[in-house]
Amino acid sequence: MKGLRVAGLTKSFGGVRAVDDASVTFQHGRINALIGPNGSGKTTFFNCVTGMVKPDAGIVTYHDRDITGRGAHKIAHEGIGRSFQLCRVFPRLTAVENLLAAVRPGSIVRALAPARLKSDVDRALELLTRVGIEHLADVEARDLSYGQQKLLELAGVLMADPETILLDEPAGGVNPALIERIGVLVRELNAEGRTFLIVEHNMDVVMSLSDHVVVFDRGRPIAEGPPDVVRADPLVLAAYLGG
Protein backbone atom coordinates (compact mmCIF):
# COMPACT_ATOMS: atom_id res chain seq x y z
CA MET A 1 0.00 0.00 0.00
CA LYS A 2 1.27 3.46 -0.89
CA GLY A 3 2.07 5.87 1.89
CA LEU A 4 3.05 6.00 5.55
CA ARG A 5 1.55 3.53 8.00
CA VAL A 6 2.26 3.00 11.69
CA ALA A 7 1.15 0.01 13.76
CA GLY A 8 1.47 -0.41 17.51
CA LEU A 9 4.09 2.32 17.86
CA THR A 10 5.26 2.69 21.46
CA LYS A 11 7.92 4.87 23.06
CA SER A 12 8.53 5.45 26.77
CA PHE A 13 10.83 7.83 28.60
CA GLY A 14 11.36 6.52 32.11
CA GLY A 15 7.91 5.70 33.41
CA VAL A 16 6.11 7.96 30.94
CA ARG A 17 4.65 6.45 27.77
CA ALA A 18 4.91 9.30 25.27
CA VAL A 19 3.52 7.17 22.43
CA ASP A 20 1.23 4.34 23.50
CA ASP A 21 0.49 1.53 21.01
CA ALA A 22 -0.43 4.03 18.28
CA SER A 23 -1.69 2.79 14.92
CA VAL A 24 -2.33 5.29 12.10
CA THR A 25 -2.54 5.24 8.31
CA PHE A 26 -1.92 8.59 6.65
CA GLN A 27 -3.54 9.38 3.32
CA HIS A 28 -1.01 9.26 0.52
CA GLY A 29 -1.09 12.29 -1.77
CA ARG A 30 -3.10 14.37 0.69
CA ILE A 31 -2.48 16.97 3.40
CA ASN A 32 -2.71 15.20 6.76
CA ALA A 33 -2.68 16.98 10.11
CA LEU A 34 -1.75 15.59 13.52
CA ILE A 35 -3.21 17.58 16.41
CA GLY A 36 -3.59 17.16 20.15
CA PRO A 37 -2.96 18.88 23.48
CA ASN A 38 0.56 19.60 24.69
CA GLY A 39 2.18 16.40 25.91
CA SER A 40 0.00 14.14 23.79
CA GLY A 41 3.01 12.58 22.04
CA LYS A 42 2.92 14.26 18.63
CA THR A 43 6.58 15.28 18.38
CA THR A 44 7.79 11.98 19.85
CA PHE A 45 5.66 10.23 17.25
CA PHE A 46 7.30 12.37 14.54
CA ASN A 47 10.73 11.55 15.92
CA CYS A 48 10.04 7.81 15.90
CA VAL A 49 8.73 7.90 12.34
CA THR A 50 11.70 9.91 11.02
CA GLY A 51 14.46 8.00 12.80
CA MET A 52 15.38 10.65 15.35
CA VAL A 53 14.28 8.32 18.15
CA LYS A 54 14.11 4.52 18.11
CA PRO A 55 10.68 3.20 19.18
CA ASP A 56 10.36 0.56 21.89
CA ALA A 57 7.79 -1.39 19.88
CA GLY A 58 5.68 -1.20 16.76
CA ILE A 59 6.25 -1.01 13.01
CA VAL A 60 6.61 1.96 10.65
CA THR A 61 6.17 1.18 6.95
CA TYR A 62 6.51 3.43 3.93
CA HIS A 63 5.17 2.10 0.63
CA ASP A 64 5.05 -1.31 2.39
CA ARG A 65 8.78 -1.15 3.23
CA ASP A 66 9.65 -1.56 6.90
CA ILE A 67 11.61 1.53 7.98
CA THR A 68 11.25 1.00 11.75
CA GLY A 69 14.24 2.22 13.73
CA ARG A 70 16.34 3.15 10.71
CA GLY A 71 18.63 6.14 11.04
CA ALA A 72 17.30 9.55 10.07
CA HIS A 73 19.55 9.79 6.99
CA LYS A 74 18.34 6.40 5.72
CA ILE A 75 14.70 7.39 6.17
CA ALA A 76 15.40 10.65 4.33
CA HIS A 77 16.75 8.56 1.44
CA GLU A 78 13.41 6.73 1.35
CA GLY A 79 11.79 10.02 0.33
CA ILE A 80 10.64 11.41 3.69
CA GLY A 81 11.71 14.92 4.70
CA ARG A 82 10.91 16.89 7.84
CA SER A 83 11.16 20.26 9.52
CA PHE A 84 11.46 20.86 13.26
CA GLN A 85 9.40 22.67 15.87
CA LEU A 86 12.37 24.97 16.50
CA CYS A 87 14.07 26.05 13.26
CA ARG A 88 17.29 24.22 12.46
CA VAL A 89 19.41 26.46 10.27
CA PHE A 90 23.10 27.34 10.28
CA PRO A 91 23.00 30.91 11.63
CA ARG A 92 26.35 32.06 10.21
CA LEU A 93 25.76 30.62 6.72
CA THR A 94 23.88 32.58 4.09
CA ALA A 95 20.51 31.36 2.90
CA VAL A 96 21.98 29.80 -0.23
CA GLU A 97 24.82 28.21 1.75
CA ASN A 98 22.27 26.67 4.12
CA LEU A 99 20.63 24.93 1.19
CA LEU A 100 23.94 23.74 -0.20
CA ALA A 101 24.77 22.27 3.22
CA ALA A 102 21.34 20.61 3.31
CA VAL A 103 21.94 18.76 0.05
CA ARG A 104 25.20 17.35 1.40
CA PRO A 105 24.67 16.81 5.13
CA GLY A 106 27.87 17.02 7.16
CA SER A 107 29.79 18.82 4.42
CA ILE A 108 29.64 22.48 5.37
CA VAL A 109 33.18 22.99 4.06
CA ARG A 110 32.01 21.70 0.67
CA ALA A 111 29.02 24.05 0.81
CA LEU A 112 31.35 27.01 1.29
CA ALA A 113 33.94 25.92 -1.29
CA PRO A 114 34.35 27.93 -4.50
CA ALA A 115 34.03 24.73 -6.58
CA ARG A 116 30.39 24.11 -5.71
CA LEU A 117 28.31 22.21 -8.24
CA LYS A 118 26.50 24.70 -10.45
CA SER A 119 23.45 22.41 -10.52
CA ASP A 120 23.23 22.55 -6.71
CA VAL A 121 23.59 26.34 -6.67
CA ASP A 122 20.95 26.69 -9.39
CA ARG A 123 18.56 24.43 -7.48
CA ALA A 124 19.16 26.34 -4.24
CA LEU A 125 18.38 29.66 -5.93
CA GLU A 126 15.32 28.15 -7.59
CA LEU A 127 13.98 26.95 -4.23
CA LEU A 128 14.68 30.29 -2.53
CA THR A 129 12.61 31.85 -5.30
CA ARG A 130 9.92 29.22 -4.80
CA VAL A 131 9.53 30.06 -1.11
CA GLY A 132 9.77 33.81 -1.77
CA ILE A 133 13.10 34.75 -0.20
CA GLU A 134 15.40 34.83 -3.24
CA HIS A 135 16.31 38.43 -2.39
CA LEU A 136 17.85 37.10 0.84
CA ALA A 137 20.10 34.52 -0.83
CA ASP A 138 23.32 36.15 0.41
CA VAL A 139 22.01 37.13 3.86
CA GLU A 140 23.17 35.12 6.87
CA ALA A 141 20.39 33.04 8.39
CA ARG A 142 20.80 34.74 11.78
CA ASP A 143 19.71 38.01 10.17
CA LEU A 144 16.46 36.57 8.82
CA SER A 145 13.19 36.89 10.69
CA TYR A 146 11.89 33.74 12.35
CA GLY A 147 9.26 33.35 9.63
CA GLN A 148 11.90 33.71 6.93
CA GLN A 149 13.98 31.05 8.70
CA LYS A 150 10.93 28.78 8.57
CA LEU A 151 10.74 29.34 4.80
CA LEU A 152 14.47 28.67 4.54
CA GLU A 153 14.10 25.43 6.48
CA LEU A 154 11.28 24.34 4.14
CA ALA A 155 13.48 25.11 1.14
CA GLY A 156 16.21 22.99 2.77
CA VAL A 157 13.78 20.08 3.10
CA LEU A 158 12.87 20.45 -0.59
CA MET A 159 16.54 20.27 -1.65
CA ALA A 160 16.35 16.48 -1.17
CA ASP A 161 13.15 16.33 -3.30
CA PRO A 162 11.14 14.26 -0.78
CA GLU A 163 7.85 12.66 -1.75
CA THR A 164 6.45 12.98 1.79
CA ILE A 165 7.07 16.00 4.02
CA LEU A 166 6.51 16.18 7.78
CA LEU A 167 6.21 19.71 9.16
CA ASP A 168 6.38 20.30 12.91
CA GLU A 169 4.40 23.46 13.78
CA PRO A 170 5.10 25.40 10.57
CA ALA A 171 2.88 28.29 11.74
CA GLY A 172 4.41 28.56 15.22
CA GLY A 173 5.83 32.02 15.93
CA VAL A 174 5.13 33.22 12.38
CA ASN A 175 3.23 36.38 11.40
CA PRO A 176 -0.10 36.04 9.53
CA ALA A 177 1.32 37.03 6.13
CA LEU A 178 3.99 34.33 6.29
CA ILE A 179 1.49 31.79 7.62
CA GLU A 180 -0.54 32.45 4.49
CA ARG A 181 2.58 32.08 2.35
CA ILE A 182 3.42 28.74 3.96
CA GLY A 183 -0.17 27.57 3.41
CA VAL A 184 -0.01 28.49 -0.29
CA LEU A 185 3.29 26.62 -0.66
CA VAL A 186 1.90 23.50 1.02
CA ARG A 187 -1.15 23.52 -1.26
CA GLU A 188 1.00 24.03 -4.37
CA LEU A 189 3.44 21.28 -3.42
CA ASN A 190 0.58 18.93 -2.60
CA ALA A 191 -1.01 19.64 -5.99
CA GLU A 192 2.32 18.62 -7.53
CA GLY A 193 2.10 15.21 -5.84
CA ARG A 194 3.73 15.59 -2.43
CA THR A 195 2.13 14.14 0.68
CA PHE A 196 2.13 16.20 3.89
CA LEU A 197 1.86 15.35 7.55
CA ILE A 198 1.63 18.49 9.67
CA VAL A 199 1.75 18.87 13.44
CA GLU A 200 0.13 22.19 14.25
CA HIS A 201 -1.61 23.98 17.15
CA ASN A 202 -3.15 26.74 15.02
CA MET A 203 -6.63 25.32 14.43
CA ASP A 204 -7.47 27.83 11.72
CA VAL A 205 -4.47 26.57 9.74
CA VAL A 206 -5.35 22.92 10.39
CA MET A 207 -9.00 23.23 9.44
CA SER A 208 -8.39 25.31 6.32
CA LEU A 209 -5.40 23.37 5.01
CA SER A 210 -5.94 19.70 5.83
CA ASP A 211 -7.75 16.95 3.99
CA HIS A 212 -7.43 14.47 6.84
CA VAL A 213 -6.93 15.11 10.57
CA VAL A 214 -5.67 12.68 13.22
CA VAL A 215 -6.13 13.64 16.87
CA PHE A 216 -3.72 12.38 19.54
CA ASP A 217 -4.38 12.25 23.26
CA ARG A 218 -2.15 10.51 25.81
CA GLY A 219 0.08 9.03 23.14
CA ARG A 220 -2.47 7.50 20.81
CA PRO A 221 -5.07 8.52 18.22
CA ILE A 222 -8.58 9.11 19.54
CA ALA A 223 -10.22 10.38 16.34
CA GLU A 224 -9.53 10.89 12.66
CA GLY A 225 -11.32 12.03 9.54
CA PRO A 226 -12.10 15.17 7.51
CA PRO A 227 -11.64 18.47 9.41
CA ASP A 228 -15.36 19.18 9.81
CA VAL A 229 -16.03 15.71 11.21
CA VAL A 230 -13.10 15.88 13.65
CA ARG A 231 -14.07 19.37 14.77
CA ALA A 232 -17.46 18.06 15.91
CA ASP A 233 -16.23 14.84 17.55
CA PRO A 234 -17.13 14.83 21.28
CA LEU A 235 -13.84 13.15 22.24
CA VAL A 236 -11.90 15.87 20.43
CA LEU A 237 -13.98 18.62 22.00
CA ALA A 238 -13.32 17.15 25.44
CA ALA A 239 -9.63 16.45 24.97
CA TYR A 240 -8.45 19.39 22.92
CA LEU A 241 -10.84 22.00 21.64
CA GLY A 242 -12.34 22.81 25.00
CA GLY A 243 -15.92 21.71 24.48
Side-chain angles (χ1 to χ4, degrees):
M1 178 183 288
K2 280 273 193 181
L4 182 64
R5 304 173 67 194
V6 176
L9 196 70
T10 300
K11 180 63 186 179
S12 297
F13 297 100
V16 178
R17 224 174 231 208
V19 181
D20 185 12
D21 194 26
S23 297
V24 190
T25 297
F26 296 102
Q27 295 186 354
H28 185 63
R30 311 299 293 273
I31 301 173
N32 302 270
L34 180 61
I35 67 172
N38 288 330
S40 61
K42 304 181 298 299
T43 294
T44 301
F45 178 87
F46 250 36
N47 288 340
C48 289
V49 168
T50 57
M52 305 296 293
V53 171
K54 188 173 183 179
D56 299 328
I59 298 174
V60 181
T61 60
Y62 186 60
H63 299 341
D64 286 332
R65 296 190 297 272
D66 188 348
I67 61 171
T68 314
R70 292 191 188 180
H73 66 289
K74 292 183 178 179
I75 290 177
H77 287 157
E78 292 285 342
I80 299 175
R82 73 162 292 180
S83 70
F84 292 85
Q85 185 174 350
L86 298 176
C87 270
R88 293 195 178 186
V89 296
F90 297 107
R92 292 183 178 273
L93 296 188
T94 67
V96 72
E97 288 168 348
N98 264 273
L99 298 198
L100 294 173
V103 81
R104 286 185 175 79
S107 58
I108 297 176
V109 173
R110 180 94 178 255
L112 294 170
R116 297 176 292 198
L117 289 178
K118 183 177 184 302
S119 59
D120 288 345
V121 175
D122 288 346
R123 177 159 176 75
L125 293 173
E126 175 189 337
L127 288 172
L128 290 176
T129 300
R130 181 71 189 269
V131 302
I133 56 172
E134 69 279 5
H135 59 295
L136 301 171
D138 296 321
V139 176
E140 291 185 357
R142 61 181 175 173
D143 294 325
L144 304 181
S145 71
Y146 189 68
Q148 290 166 342
Q149 289 182 14
K150 288 264 191 180
L151 292 171
L152 177 61
E153 186 181 38
L154 176 56
V157 172
L158 293 173
M159 281 293 286
D161 197 25
E163 181 185 25
T164 296
I165 299 174
L166 284 66
L167 301 179
D168 197 349
E169 296 197 27
V174 179
N175 69 52
L178 284 180
I179 289 175
E180 180 60 29
R181 178 61 184 154
I182 291 169
V184 168
L185 282 167
V186 169
R187 292 187 190 95
E188 289 176 351
L189 292 163
N190 175 246
E192 294 167 10
R194 299 184 202 268
T195 299
F196 280 87
L197 171 54
I198 301 172
V199 165
E200 184 53 63
H201 283 293
N202 186 320
M203 288 298 101
D204 289 336
V205 171
V206 169
M207 296 302 169
S208 65
L209 195 60
S210 308
D211 302 306
H212 183 75
V213 180
V214 177
V215 186
F216 258 44
D217 189 31
R218 299 179 184 180
R220 63 171 61 186
I222 60 169
E224 64 178 289
D228 288 346
V229 172
V230 167
R231 188 199 297 266
D233 189 298
L235 287 176
V236 177
L237 292 172
Y240 188 55
L241 298 179

